[in-house]
Amino acid sequence: MEVGRLPISASQRGKLISAGYTTLASLSSLSPSDLARDLKIRESEALEILKVASHDCRLDQPEKSNGIFTGAQTAWEMLHEEQSFPRITTSCADLDNILGGGINCKEVTEIGGVPGIGKTQLGIQLAVNVQIPVDFGGLGGKAVYIDTEGSFMVERALQIAEASVVDMSHYNELLRKELRTCQVEIQPTDILKNIFYFRICSYTEQIALINHLDKFILEHKDVKIVIIDSVTFHFRQDFEDLALRTRLLGGMALKLMNLANKYNLAVVIFNQVTTKHKEGSFQLSLALGDSWSHCSTNRVILYWNGDERNAHIDKSPSLKSASAPFSVTRKGIRNSASNHKRIKLM
């Protein structure tokens, strides 16, 4: 049974899921003090949650089991669990809409596009938005940002973080008018402190870091998104043995998928584009070949439509093929507008 069906408040369920506690089994060996620390709540509140979970676990447990394997889920439970997961907003309503509400946890999302389309801008936006507190509909998590190209700009991250805090303050004003309120305690500098940045200079460093992420996230359980910008760069430089490259990429993709599922986090990998001869003409396609195209859950392609940026769902098992416009503004990723096209950001 998953925690999304526990008879506790929506806020408590959201905090449990955001902290990685998605099933009753994950709560079975916890002490109230440990749960209180992970959820940032009072110990008495954590004790009540554990009591409810323990009661529901006894009701859900069969009287006798002779099976060797445990932890099986029904398809209904999987669907309910998936629907209860909070998503990471892109700050663009149209883009969120075609993504089913935003970037989903437990999945690997690949985003590719031509230079200057806004891949790094979107990556920074997601690293900021994953930190939106649970009370504001976010995950209240932290981000790992792996930069292989040197395109991450801390000044730009601060600019987007400042805009995010302003947006939360405006949202708080709306809640106050409805006689509800959520205290905006997070500051732009706090957001920067919660982005773990790694600069990678070779494909061997990239593989070594991916192998290290399991241990790193185990020590930083509040990490809710891993961003790689870009996965392509070092694997397109001086790599003559394509069979070796395919094996290395396949192993790396498998580790990323396991991380997403094990720690209930989102993995977002950015990709470059290349040209591909198809049906008598050259067309743009994402780099690293056909084998790599099967390594992600969702695939999103960013492209120009005139002067307007667009995102297209190219592949997904749960999302329909659709496109949506978006803008890169001084505040970050936003809905498309005629005065937000190819502007100078800094």
Side-chain angles (χ1 to χ4, degrees):
M1 179 179 176
E2 70 279 359
V3 300
R5 297 170 65 182
L6 284 177
I8 56 179
S9 70
S11 175
Q12 290 172 332
R13 285 196 296 270
K15 289 178 180 178
L16 282 170
I17 293 171
S18 296
Y21 299 112
T22 58
T23 63
L24 295 184
S26 63
L27 296 171
S28 60
S29 59
L30 274 181
S31 67
S33 59
D34 289 340
L35 185 62
R37 183 189 67 247
D38 292 345
L39 268 58
K40 297 180 177 62
I41 59 176
R42 297 188 304 275
E43 193 166 326
S44 58
E45 184 179 353
L47 179 61
E48 288 302 315
I49 292 174
L50 291 175
K51 285 181 179 178
V52 173
S54 177
H55 179 264
D56 278 55
C57 188
R58 287 195 298 270
L59 293 178
D60 201 51
Q61 192 173 21
E63 292 182 6
K64 187 177 182 180
S65 176
N66 296 320
I68 298 175
F69 298 102
T70 60
Q73 285 181 293
T74 66
W76 169 250
E77 288 175 333
M78 292 172 64
L79 176 63
H80 195 281
E81 180 178 309
E82 183 177 319
Q83 291 174 340
S84 68
F85 287 151
R87 294 175 181 258
I88 305 170
T89 178
T90 63
S91 292
C92 171
D94 293 332
L95 185 50
D96 282 349
N97 185 47
I98 65 171
L99 288 169
I103 300 295
N104 201 13
C105 292
K106 282 199 169 185
E107 293 181 353
V108 177
T109 300
E110 180 184 15
I111 302 174
V114 297
I117 193 67
K119 298 188 296 293
T120 298
Q121 302 295 322
L122 180 55
I124 295 174
Q125 186 73 65
L126 292 172
V128 169
N129 287 357
V130 74
Q131 302 181 49
I132 296 174
V134 174
D135 291 339
F136 288 87
L139 274 69
K142 296 181 181 180
V144 168
Y145 200 105
I146 301 172
D147 182 7
T148 68
E149 302 186 24
S151 55
F152 182 89
M153 297 177 61
V154 69
E155 296 86 358
R156 180 63 175 147
L158 179 60
Q159 195 176 43
I160 292 175
E162 289 171 343
S164 179
V165 171
V166 171
D167 288 344
M168 282 187 277
S169 299
H170 290 164
Y171 180 68
N172 194 35
E173 290 298 322
L174 293 175
L175 290 180
R176 186 174 287 113
K177 291 178 181 178
E178 298 176 3
L179 302 180
R180 295 183 294 157
T181 185
C182 295
Q183 189 66 31
V184 183
E185 297 179 351
I186 192 169
Q187 298 298 319
T189 51
D190 298 325
I191 292 176
L192 295 187
K193 290 175 183 177
N194 291 333
I195 300 175
F196 299 107
Y197 175 81
F198 295 90
R199 178 70 172 98
I200 299 301
C201 298
S202 68
Y203 80 88
T204 53
E205 284 186 12
Q206 186 170 329
I207 293 171
L209 177 57
I210 299 301
N211 291 334
H212 173 68
L213 279 180
D214 196 310
K215 180 180 179 182
F216 182 86
I217 295 172
L218 189 61
E219 296 170 351
H220 302 83
K221 291 184 178 180
D222 41 7
V223 168
K224 288 302 165 189
I225 190 169
V226 173
I227 300 163
I228 306 178
D229 181 18
S230 68
V231 71
T232 325
F233 187 72
H234 295 302
F235 284 91
R236 296 182 75 183
Q237 312 293 322
D238 302 322
F239 226 109
E240 296 179 0
D241 190 340
L242 296 183
L244 174 61
R245 188 183 79 166
T246 299
R247 290 196 299 272
L248 291 175
L249 286 169
M252 185 172 63
L254 182 60
K255 286 184 171 63
L256 291 172
M257 287 187 281
N258 289 338
L259 281 175
N261 187 63
K262 180 179 179 180
Y263 295 106
N264 186 27
L265 53 80
V267 174
V268 176
I269 50 181
F270 290 99
N271 197 350
Q272 299 172 349
V273 294
T274 185
T275 54
K276 185 176 182 180
H277 191 265
K278 185 177 181 182
E279 298 177 356
S281 63
F282 288 96
Q283 300 177 8
L284 284 179
S285 64
L286 298 192
L288 299 181
D290 293 334
S291 297
W292 174 257
S293 67
H294 302 293
C295 294
S296 59
T297 314
N298 308 301
R299 205 172 210 206
V300 182
I301 297 178
L302 309 181
Y303 64 96
W304 288 104
N305 183 13
D307 278 342
E308 188 172 59
R309 292 176 170 91
N310 277 255
H312 174 71
I313 305 294
D314 184 60
K315 185 202 83 168
S316 174
S318 58
L319 303 171
K320 65 180 182 180
S321 180
S323 299
F326 69 97
S327 288
V328 178
T329 75
R330 289 180 176 85
K331 294 181 178 180
I333 304 298
R334 293 293 187 271
N335 290 336
S336 181
S338 59
N339 60 338
H340 287 157
K341 298 172 183 176
R342 300 194 189 224
I343 62 173
K344 186 178 180 181
L345 299 174
M346 299 295 291

